[in-house]
Amino acid sequence: MIHLHTQSAYSLLHSPIRIEQLVLKAASEHKSAVALTDKDVLFGVPSFLRACRACHIKPIVGMETEAKENEENFGFVLLAKNNIGLQSLYKLSTMAGSRPLAIQDIAEHQNGLIILSAGIDDTIQAALEQEDEQQLNRILKQFKEIFDTFYISIAMNDSRYRARLNILLKECAARLDIPTTALSRVLYLNEEEVNDLKVLRAIDKQTSIEDPTLNVSYGRFFRTDEQMASLYDAQDLEESERIAGMCSLTEPFEQSTLPSFENKLGIDSRTYLIKLCKAGLHKRMNGQIDEAYVRRLEYELEIITRMGFTDYFLIVYDMIRYARSHDILVGPGRGSAAGSLVAYCLGITHIDPIENNLLFERFLNPDRISMPDIDTDFPDDRREDIIRYLTEKYGHEHVSQIIAFSNLKAKQVLRDVGKAFGYPAREIDQITKLIPSIQGIPMTLRAAYEGVPAFRKLVNSHSKWQKLYEQSLRLEGLPRHTTVHAAGIVLSSRPIVEVCPLKNVDSLLDACQYTMENLEPLGLIKMDVLALRNLTTIKRILDNIKKDHGTQIDIFKIRKDDRKTYELLSQGDTVGVFQFEGDGIKSLLKKVRPHTFADISVTLALYRPGPMENIPLYLRQRQDPQSVHYLHPALKPILQETYGVMIYQEQIMQIAQVIGKMTLSQADTLRKAMSKKKKDVMDSYRQTFIAGALSQGISEAVAQKIFAQMEQFAKYGFNKSHSYAYSSLAYIMAYLKANFPLYFYQSLLDSVTGSAEKSAEYIFECTKRKVNILPVSIVHSTGSYEIEENGLRMPFQAIKGIGKSIYSKILSERGKEPFKDLFECMSRLQAAKVGENTILSLIDAGAFDEFGINRITLRENLAQIRNYASIVQVEEADAIHFDFSLASRPRLMRYEEKAFERAQREKSVYGFYLSEHPIRTLRLKRYGQVATLADIEDQLGYVRVLVRIVRVKPHKTKRGDMMAFVNIEDETKTSEAVIMPRQYEPNKEALKAGALVLIEGRKEKEESILANKLTFIDLDEFV
C-alpha cells in the first residue's frame, strides 16, 4: 500500500515532517512511491522531487484542500496524475491562497487530477455520524457526476468509532459504484512524534500545550504495511497502489521565458538593442569613440544575442528609463553587471568597464550557460512604484514576487517552545540571552551547546532546560511563516500560474510558491529590484540642495578627484557613508589614505572575511612600491593598481588570459573552480595554463608558481565589478558629506528617525563636526529635520510617541497663524486635541524653550496652564475661538532647573542625551581626574576612562569562548574597547548600549583599549 495523504513542515506549524525524512522513511519501508499533500500549498514540491530522485522513488504530488458549497464544507485530497494535473494543482493552490475554494473551482480545474475525499471532519463525516444515508447519497452522487476520477477515502480506521461509520460509507459507495481506497493521514513519521506536533500547534495558536482546546491529532503517524493491513480491507490497500500507479510526472515540467519586449519602433529586439547601444555609446563617449569600445560592444552584443538575453537587457533598460523619467533615483549598478559595456551604454550601470578593466565574462560566460543577473537599486520609498510599473506593463498574471520562509532559528525556537511549555518570559530570556548574535554567522542550538560554555551549563543545570533544549532541537529549522524575498521579482511571458503556483502574501503582488533557487529550471528569471535606504538619503540631499540653491547635481557626473572627498575618506570620517561606517573599515581607510577612486575600491574589496588576510601585505607594498616583486613582467600591468597583490577575481582571470593564453570564458571557469576548490577542473585547466605559458617562452617553474599563487588568492578574490559599483555609491555619499555637510546630516538623520541608537550616533557625529543640533521647537519644527541658522532643527517625530497623527495637528494649528506666546500656544494646542501626555513630552524635549520659561517650571505649572486654556476657549456651533479677557493669566511658581535632571528627561523622550552629555556631568560631579578619550588619543599603556557604551558586538574566540568588541564614547570622541572572555562572562548582562562604565585597561594600539576592569555606574545615584 501507498500513503496518499502526507503532510510536511510546509503545512506551516501543522506537521514536523522534513521533506528528506519523509522520503527516506518511505524508502526504508520499501515503498515504490510517496505522496506529498500539504494543505493548500505546494511549497515543498521542488525539494520533494529532488529527494525522490535521489532515493529512486516515485513522487506523487498532491494537495489537501477544502471546498464549500451552499454553506457545506468538504475536504479533498487532490493528486496529480500527470504534468497536466500538476498545472491544475498550480491553479487551485493559487486560488486557495486568496479565497476559499468552491466545488465548482475543483470541477473546472480537475484536468489530470485524481480526487479523493479527505476523510476529515466535513459534511460527509457529519452525514455519516447522523447515519443520514439520503444526504450521503446526494453528496457522493453529485461528486461522481462532476468529477472525472473520484474516490471515496476510507480513513482513520484506527478509531473504532470511525471504522464502524466507514462500513456505512463503503456500502453507500458500492451502491453508487464509486471506488474506495485506504487513506491514512500522515502528520508525523513516528508515533511518539505527536508531541512535536502538539508543540507546533501550540506555537501556531500562541497558547500552551496544556490548553484543553488545542487540537492534537493522535495516531497520525506513518504506519507500516502490517499496521495498515490490520486496520483496512485488502482491496482498499491495493487500490492505493493502483492510484499511485496512475500518477506519473515527467520532467522537465512546463517552462516559461521572459516576456518579449515591445519597442516603440516595432522592430525586433536584437535590432532595437543594437540601435540603443550604439546611441548610448555615442552619448557616453561624446562622439569620440575608440575602436576598442566598438569591438567590445560588438563582442558583447553577439554573445547576448546568441544566448537569448536581448529581451532581458531591454526590460531592465526600460525599467530604469521609466524610473528616471519619473524622478526616481537609480543606483550606479551593483554586482558583476558593471563589467558589461552593453549595460554601461544602456545606462543600467555607470562605470566604464574598459577604462576600469572590468570583464564581461565575469558577468556572462558564454561557455557556462546561466541566467544573467542584473541587480538594480532604487530608493526604499519608491520601489513599489517600480513594481507597479512592471505589473501595469506586463500584466498582473506575468509578474510576481518570490516566496521566502522565516524558519525556527535558535533563539526563536527557544522562545516559541518555552512559551508553549508555559515558561515565564523572564526565564526564556535567561536562556536566549546566552546565544550570541554574531553577524554573518548563523548560530544553531547545537553550535551554542558545543561552543558557549554558559549556555551548555544552564542546559545541563536542570531538567526543565534539558527538556526545552531537546524539544527545540527537534523543531529547529522548520519553516514558521512565509515572507517574501527582499528584492526578487519574476517576469514571465506566460501567466506564471501555468508554470509555478502562486501565493497571496501581501497587497502588492502575489509570490511564486517556489523559493528563488527553484525558479530557473522553470524558465523564470529573477530580477533583483532592491530598496536601498542610502539612495533615499541621497535623493533627499539632492532635492534639498536644489530647493535652497536651485542647483541640480548629477551624481554620476561629479568629479572623481575631489580633494575634500579624499581628505574625508583618509580621515575615516565616514559615519553615514555607504559601506564605510564600521570601525574596522574606518581604521583601514586611515591606513590606506585613498587618493584615487581605485584606492577606494581596493579598500572595500580588502575589508571582507578572507581578503583581510592580505591587508598587511597590501599596506606594506603600497608604502614601498619598490618592494613589489612580480614573478613575470607580464603580471605588472595587471597587478600594479593593487601593488602586486591579487585582490580581484578579474585579476585572476586576466593572468589566466595573459600568461596561460586562455580565453576569458575559460579563465572565468578556472576562477570559479579555484574559489570552490574543484580539484578536477583545476587540474584540467592547470595543463592548459602551463601549455599556454610555455608557448610564450615562460618557464614551467615560473608558470607553476604563478598558478599556485592564483590558487592561493582566488579563494578570497573579490568581484572587482561589484567593488567598483559599491565604491561609486560610497564616493557619491562621501562627496556630498564633504561638500554639503548640513544637507548630508539633515537627510541622514531623517533616515533614522525612530531609531534612538542610530539617531544618538549621528547626533554625536554632528556635534563633533560642529553642526549644531537644535531641540524640537513648537515654533519651528516640522515633520523632518530642517536646516536652521547653520544647524539642524529636530522634527516632532524625534520625540517618542509623537507620530504624524499628532504632529499634523500642531502643524495645522500653527499654519493658521504663528504662536504668539506660551499661554496662547497652550490654549490653541488644547483646543486642537493635543493631549496632556504629549504636552509633557514636548516640554521635556525643549519644545517650549523659546518662550523663556524653564522646563521644570512648565511641568509643575501645567495643570493651571491647561485650566486657563479651558476657560478662555469658547465653542460655537461651527468653530472654536478664544476670549483671553475671560480670565487672567496664571502666575507661575518658578522652579530651579538642574542640568542633569533636564538631560535625564530629554533622554526619556528622545531616547538619547541632547543638551547635556551624561559623561560630562559625571566628570564634573565625581570623576574630574579621569582622562577623556581625546586626552589619551596618542597615549599607550595603562589608561582609565569614563565612557558610554554605543554598541556591543559579541565575538567567539577560536577556543569557543565569548568576548566582545565595544564601541564607546565620551563627550570628546569615540573609540573601541576589547572585552576578553574573563571580563565578558561576568559583565555580559550589563554590557548594553547606553550603559555608563569606568574602564581600566591597556591601550596597545590606536583607537583600542584592552579592558582589565569594568565598573558600571548607576545614574540614579547622581540625580
PDB file of all heavy atoms in Angstrom, residues 834-858:
ATOM      1  N   VAL A 834      -4.542  68.207  21.372  1.00  0.00           N
ATOM      2  CA  VAL A 834      -3.207  67.698  21.689  1.00  0.00           C
ATOM      3  C   VAL A 834      -3.208  67.393  23.179  1.00  0.00           C
ATOM      4  O   VAL A 834      -3.375  68.291  24.006  1.00  0.00           O
ATOM      5  CB  VAL A 834      -2.102  68.717  21.337  1.00  0.00           C
ATOM      6  CG1 VAL A 834      -0.734  68.177  21.724  1.00  0.00           C
ATOM      7  CG2 VAL A 834      -2.139  69.032  19.843  1.00  0.00           C
ATOM      8  N   GLY A 835      -3.049  66.113  23.553  1.00  0.00           N
ATOM      9  CA  GLY A 835      -3.252  65.663  24.922  1.00  0.00           C
ATOM     10  C   GLY A 835      -2.160  66.087  25.896  1.00  0.00           C
ATOM     11  O   GLY A 835      -1.065  66.522  25.505  1.00  0.00           O
ATOM     12  N   GLU A 836      -2.462  65.918  27.179  1.00  0.00           N
ATOM     13  CA  GLU A 836      -1.552  66.344  28.246  1.00  0.00           C
ATOM     14  C   GLU A 836      -0.226  65.577  28.192  1.00  0.00           C
ATOM     15  O   GLU A 836       0.834  66.166  28.396  1.00  0.00           O
ATOM     16  CB  GLU A 836      -2.211  66.156  29.613  1.00  0.00           C
ATOM     17  CG  GLU A 836      -1.360  66.673  30.769  1.00  0.00           C
ATOM     18  CD  GLU A 836      -2.066  66.611  32.105  1.00  0.00           C
ATOM     19  OE1 GLU A 836      -3.277  66.280  32.138  1.00  0.00           O
ATOM     20  OE2 GLU A 836      -1.422  66.891  33.133  1.00  0.00           O
ATOM     21  N   ASN A 837      -0.279  64.259  27.929  1.00  0.00           N
ATOM     22  CA  ASN A 837       0.964  63.474  27.873  1.00  0.00           C
ATOM     23  C   ASN A 837       1.872  63.952  26.748  1.00  0.00           C
ATOM     24  O   ASN A 837       3.099  63.991  26.890  1.00  0.00           O
ATOM     25  CB  ASN A 837       0.651  61.985  27.696  1.00  0.00           C
ATOM     26  CG  ASN A 837       0.109  61.367  28.969  1.00  0.00           C
ATOM     27  OD1 ASN A 837       0.336  61.883  30.063  1.00  0.00           O
ATOM     28  ND2 ASN A 837      -0.635  60.271  28.835  1.00  0.00           N
ATOM     29  N   THR A 838       1.249  64.328  25.631  1.00  0.00           N
ATOM     30  CA  THR A 838       2.035  64.864  24.510  1.00  0.00           C
ATOM     31  C   THR A 838       2.680  66.191  24.905  1.00  0.00           C
ATOM     32  O   THR A 838       3.855  66.436  24.592  1.00  0.00           O
ATOM     33  CB  THR A 838       1.135  65.066  23.267  1.00  0.00           C
ATOM     34  OG1 THR A 838       0.602  63.797  22.874  1.00  0.00           O
ATOM     35  CG2 THR A 838       1.927  65.665  22.111  1.00  0.00           C
ATOM     36  N   ILE A 839       1.915  67.032  25.585  1.00  0.00           N
ATOM     37  CA  ILE A 839       2.447  68.327  26.035  1.00  0.00           C
ATOM     38  C   ILE A 839       3.633  68.113  26.972  1.00  0.00           C
ATOM     39  O   ILE A 839       4.672  68.789  26.864  1.00  0.00           O
ATOM     40  CB  ILE A 839       1.354  69.163  26.741  1.00  0.00           C
ATOM     41  CG1 ILE A 839       0.237  69.528  25.758  1.00  0.00           C
ATOM     42  CG2 ILE A 839       1.957  70.423  27.359  1.00  0.00           C
ATOM     43  CD1 ILE A 839       0.647  70.469  24.641  1.00  0.00           C
ATOM     44  N   LEU A 840       3.524  67.148  27.889  1.00  0.00           N
ATOM     45  CA  LEU A 840       4.622  66.858  28.817  1.00  0.00           C
ATOM     46  C   LEU A 840       5.868  66.397  28.050  1.00  0.00           C
ATOM     47  O   LEU A 840       6.992  66.810  28.363  1.00  0.00           O
ATOM     48  CB  LEU A 840       4.191  65.789  29.824  1.00  0.00           C
ATOM     49  CG  LEU A 840       3.273  66.254  30.955  1.00  0.00           C
ATOM     50  CD1 LEU A 840       2.697  65.065  31.709  1.00  0.00           C
ATOM     51  CD2 LEU A 840       4.027  67.179  31.912  1.00  0.00           C
ATOM     52  N   SER A 841       5.668  65.554  27.035  1.00  0.00           N
ATOM     53  CA  SER A 841       6.808  65.105  26.218  1.00  0.00           C
ATOM     54  C   SER A 841       7.440  66.284  25.488  1.00  0.00           C
ATOM     55  O   SER A 841       8.673  66.387  25.395  1.00  0.00           O
ATOM     56  CB  SER A 841       6.351  64.043  25.207  1.00  0.00           C
ATOM     57  OG  SER A 841       5.958  62.856  25.864  1.00  0.00           O
ATOM     58  N   LEU A 842       6.605  67.185  24.979  1.00  0.00           N
ATOM     59  CA  LEU A 842       7.115  68.368  24.280  1.00  0.00           C
ATOM     60  C   LEU A 842       7.908  69.260  25.236  1.00  0.00           C
ATOM     61  O   LEU A 842       8.949  69.816  24.873  1.00  0.00           O
ATOM     62  CB  LEU A 842       5.954  69.149  23.660  1.00  0.00           C
ATOM     63  CG  LEU A 842       5.296  68.517  22.421  1.00  0.00           C
ATOM     64  CD1 LEU A 842       3.949  69.166  22.133  1.00  0.00           C
ATOM     65  CD2 LEU A 842       6.218  68.631  21.203  1.00  0.00           C
ATOM     66  N   ILE A 843       7.429  69.395  26.459  1.00  0.00           N
ATOM     67  CA  ILE A 843       8.148  70.200  27.463  1.00  0.00           C
ATOM     68  C   ILE A 843       9.518  69.600  27.726  1.00  0.00           C
ATOM     69  O   ILE A 843      10.545  70.290  27.701  1.00  0.00           O
ATOM     70  CB  ILE A 843       7.341  70.287  28.783  1.00  0.00           C
ATOM     71  CG1 ILE A 843       6.087  71.158  28.588  1.00  0.00           C
ATOM     72  CG2 ILE A 843       8.205  70.855  29.918  1.00  0.00           C
ATOM     73  CD1 ILE A 843       5.111  71.092  29.756  1.00  0.00           C
ATOM     74  N   ASP A 844       9.552  68.264  27.990  1.00  0.00           N
ATOM     75  CA  ASP A 844      10.816  67.589  28.300  1.00  0.00           C
ATOM     76  C   ASP A 844      11.789  67.627  27.132  1.00  0.00           C
ATOM     77  O   ASP A 844      13.008  67.597  27.319  1.00  0.00           O
ATOM     78  CB  ASP A 844      10.554  66.132  28.707  1.00  0.00           C
ATOM     79  CG  ASP A 844       9.846  66.038  30.051  1.00  0.00           C
ATOM     80  OD1 ASP A 844       9.909  67.018  30.818  1.00  0.00           O
ATOM     81  OD2 ASP A 844       9.235  64.980  30.337  1.00  0.00           O
ATOM     82  N   ALA A 845      11.240  67.709  25.909  1.00  0.00           N
ATOM     83  CA  ALA A 845      12.097  67.772  24.716  1.00  0.00           C
ATOM     84  C   ALA A 845      12.628  69.176  24.456  1.00  0.00           C
ATOM     85  O   ALA A 845      13.505  69.366  23.606  1.00  0.00           O
ATOM     86  CB  ALA A 845      11.314  67.285  23.492  1.00  0.00           C
ATOM     87  N   GLY A 846      12.088  70.175  25.167  1.00  0.00           N
ATOM     88  CA  GLY A 846      12.548  71.552  24.980  1.00  0.00           C
ATOM     89  C   GLY A 846      11.765  72.319  23.944  1.00  0.00           C
ATOM     90  O   GLY A 846      12.203  73.369  23.460  1.00  0.00           O
ATOM     91  N   ALA A 847      10.571  71.816  23.589  1.00  0.00           N
ATOM     92  CA  ALA A 847       9.805  72.433  22.505  1.00  0.00           C
ATOM     93  C   ALA A 847       9.276  73.824  22.847  1.00  0.00           C
ATOM     94  O   ALA A 847       8.964  74.614  21.957  1.00  0.00           O
ATOM     95  CB  ALA A 847       8.639  71.522  22.110  1.00  0.00           C
ATOM     96  N   PHE A 848       9.169  74.135  24.146  1.00  0.00           N
ATOM     97  CA  PHE A 848       8.641  75.441  24.542  1.00  0.00           C
ATOM     98  C   PHE A 848       9.739  76.371  25.069  1.00  0.00           C
ATOM     99  O   PHE A 848       9.435  77.429  25.624  1.00  0.00           O
ATOM    100  CB  PHE A 848       7.554  75.259  25.616  1.00  0.00           C
ATOM    101  CG  PHE A 848       6.378  74.448  25.154  1.00  0.00           C
ATOM    102  CD1 PHE A 848       6.251  73.116  25.526  1.00  0.00           C
ATOM    103  CD2 PHE A 848       5.403  75.002  24.340  1.00  0.00           C
ATOM    104  CE1 PHE A 848       5.176  72.355  25.109  1.00  0.00           C
ATOM    105  CE2 PHE A 848       4.316  74.257  23.916  1.00  0.00           C
ATOM    106  CZ  PHE A 848       4.200  72.918  24.294  1.00  0.00           C
ATOM    107  N   ASP A 849      11.008  75.982  24.915  1.00  0.00           N
ATOM    108  CA  ASP A 849      12.115  76.749  25.493  1.00  0.00           C
ATOM    109  C   ASP A 849      12.120  78.208  25.039  1.00  0.00           C
ATOM    110  O   ASP A 849      12.483  79.115  25.803  1.00  0.00           O
ATOM    111  CB  ASP A 849      13.461  76.110  25.130  1.00  0.00           C
ATOM    112  CG  ASP A 849      13.739  74.841  25.938  1.00  0.00           C
ATOM    113  OD1 ASP A 849      12.870  74.455  26.749  1.00  0.00           O
ATOM    114  OD2 ASP A 849      14.801  74.229  25.744  1.00  0.00           O
ATOM    115  N   GLU A 850      11.731  78.459  23.787  1.00  0.00           N
ATOM    116  CA  GLU A 850      11.854  79.835  23.288  1.00  0.00           C
ATOM    117  C   GLU A 850      10.858  80.807  23.910  1.00  0.00           C
ATOM    118  O   GLU A 850      10.946  82.018  23.704  1.00  0.00           O
ATOM    119  CB  GLU A 850      11.744  79.890  21.757  1.00  0.00           C
ATOM    120  CG  GLU A 850      10.617  79.105  21.168  1.00  0.00           C
ATOM    121  CD  GLU A 850      11.076  78.355  19.928  1.00  0.00           C
ATOM    122  OE1 GLU A 850      11.449  79.004  18.946  1.00  0.00           O
ATOM    123  OE2 GLU A 850      11.072  77.111  19.961  1.00  0.00           O
ATOM    124  N   PHE A 851       9.927  80.282  24.698  1.00  0.00           N
ATOM    125  CA  PHE A 851       9.020  81.189  25.412  1.00  0.00           C
ATOM    126  C   PHE A 851       9.647  81.700  26.708  1.00  0.00           C
ATOM    127  O   PHE A 851       9.020  82.466  27.449  1.00  0.00           O
ATOM    128  CB  PHE A 851       7.687  80.490  25.709  1.00  0.00           C
ATOM    129  CG  PHE A 851       6.875  80.204  24.471  1.00  0.00           C
ATOM    130  CD1 PHE A 851       6.318  78.957  24.265  1.00  0.00           C
ATOM    131  CD2 PHE A 851       6.675  81.182  23.503  1.00  0.00           C
ATOM    132  CE1 PHE A 851       5.561  78.684  23.132  1.00  0.00           C
ATOM    133  CE2 PHE A 851       5.929  80.935  22.366  1.00  0.00           C
ATOM    134  CZ  PHE A 851       5.369  79.673  22.170  1.00  0.00           C
ATOM    135  N   GLY A 852      10.890  81.239  27.013  1.00  0.00           N
ATOM    136  CA  GLY A 852      11.654  81.825  28.116  1.00  0.00           C
ATOM    137  C   GLY A 852      11.334  81.290  29.495  1.00  0.00           C
ATOM    138  O   GLY A 852      11.701  81.914  30.491  1.00  0.00           O
ATOM    139  N   ILE A 853      10.644  80.169  29.587  1.00  0.00           N
ATOM    140  CA  ILE A 853      10.310  79.572  30.890  1.00  0.00           C
ATOM    141  C   ILE A 853      10.948  78.187  30.928  1.00  0.00           C
ATOM    142  O   ILE A 853      10.783  77.397  29.996  1.00  0.00           O
ATOM    143  CB  ILE A 853       8.781  79.467  31.083  1.00  0.00           C
ATOM    144  CG1 ILE A 853       8.138  80.844  30.955  1.00  0.00           C
ATOM    145  CG2 ILE A 853       8.441  78.828  32.425  1.00  0.00           C
ATOM    146  CD1 ILE A 853       6.637  80.823  30.866  1.00  0.00           C
ATOM    147  N   ASN A 854      11.685  77.901  32.018  1.00  0.00           N
ATOM    148  CA  ASN A 854      12.393  76.618  32.026  1.00  0.00           C
ATOM    149  C   ASN A 854      11.411  75.441  32.129  1.00  0.00           C
ATOM    150  O   ASN A 854      10.239  75.599  32.487  1.00  0.00           O
ATOM    151  CB  ASN A 854      13.471  76.576  33.112  1.00  0.00           C
ATOM    152  CG  ASN A 854      12.911  76.523  34.523  1.00  0.00           C
ATOM    153  OD1 ASN A 854      11.918  75.864  34.794  1.00  0.00           O
ATOM    154  ND2 ASN A 854      13.569  77.225  35.445  1.00  0.00           N
ATOM    155  N   ARG A 855      11.936  74.257  31.826  1.00  0.00           N
ATOM    156  CA  ARG A 855      11.077  73.092  31.644  1.00  0.00           C
ATOM    157  C   ARG A 855      10.441  72.606  32.941  1.00  0.00           C
ATOM    158  O   ARG A 855       9.263  72.215  32.940  1.00  0.00           O
ATOM    159  CB  ARG A 855      11.891  71.963  30.993  1.00  0.00           C
ATOM    160  CG  ARG A 855      12.455  72.378  29.638  1.00  0.00           C
ATOM    161  CD  ARG A 855      13.381  71.314  29.064  1.00  0.00           C
ATOM    162  NE  ARG A 855      14.191  71.858  27.963  1.00  0.00           N
ATOM    163  CZ  ARG A 855      15.103  71.159  27.300  1.00  0.00           C
ATOM    164  NH1 ARG A 855      15.333  69.894  27.626  1.00  0.00           N
ATOM    165  NH2 ARG A 855      15.805  71.730  26.340  1.00  0.00           N
ATOM    166  N   ILE A 856      11.180  72.621  34.036  1.00  0.00           N
ATOM    167  CA  ILE A 856      10.618  72.137  35.298  1.00  0.00           C
ATOM    168  C   ILE A 856       9.494  73.056  35.758  1.00  0.00           C
ATOM    169  O   ILE A 856       8.480  72.606  36.306  1.00  0.00           O
ATOM    170  CB  ILE A 856      11.723  71.987  36.384  1.00  0.00           C
ATOM    171  CG1 ILE A 856      11.165  71.284  37.626  1.00  0.00           C
ATOM    172  CG2 ILE A 856      12.332  73.322  36.749  1.00  0.00           C
ATOM    173  CD1 ILE A 856      10.755  69.860  37.403  1.00  0.00           C
ATOM    174  N   THR A 857       9.632  74.354  35.510  1.00  0.00           N
ATOM    175  CA  THR A 857       8.563  75.302  35.854  1.00  0.00           C
ATOM    176  C   THR A 857       7.301  74.994  35.047  1.00  0.00           C
ATOM    177  O   THR A 857       6.192  75.006  35.583  1.00  0.00           O
ATOM    178  CB  THR A 857       9.034  76.749  35.597  1.00  0.00           C
ATOM    179  OG1 THR A 857      10.134  77.041  36.469  1.00  0.00           O
ATOM    180  CG2 THR A 857       7.910  77.756  35.819  1.00  0.00           C
ATOM    181  N   LEU A 858       7.468  74.719  33.754  1.00  0.00           N
ATOM    182  CA  LEU A 858       6.313  74.384  32.920  1.00  0.00           C
ATOM    183  C   LEU A 858       5.639  73.101  33.398  1.00  0.00           C
ATOM    184  O   LEU A 858       4.403  73.018  33.461  1.00  0.00           O
ATOM    185  CB  LEU A 858       6.742  74.220  31.457  1.00  0.00           C
ATOM    186  CG  LEU A 858       6.992  75.503  30.667  1.00  0.00           C
ATOM    187  CD1 LEU A 858       7.386  75.178  29.234  1.00  0.00           C
ATOM    188  CD2 LEU A 858       5.734  76.375  30.660  1.00  0.00           C
TER     189      LEU A 858
END
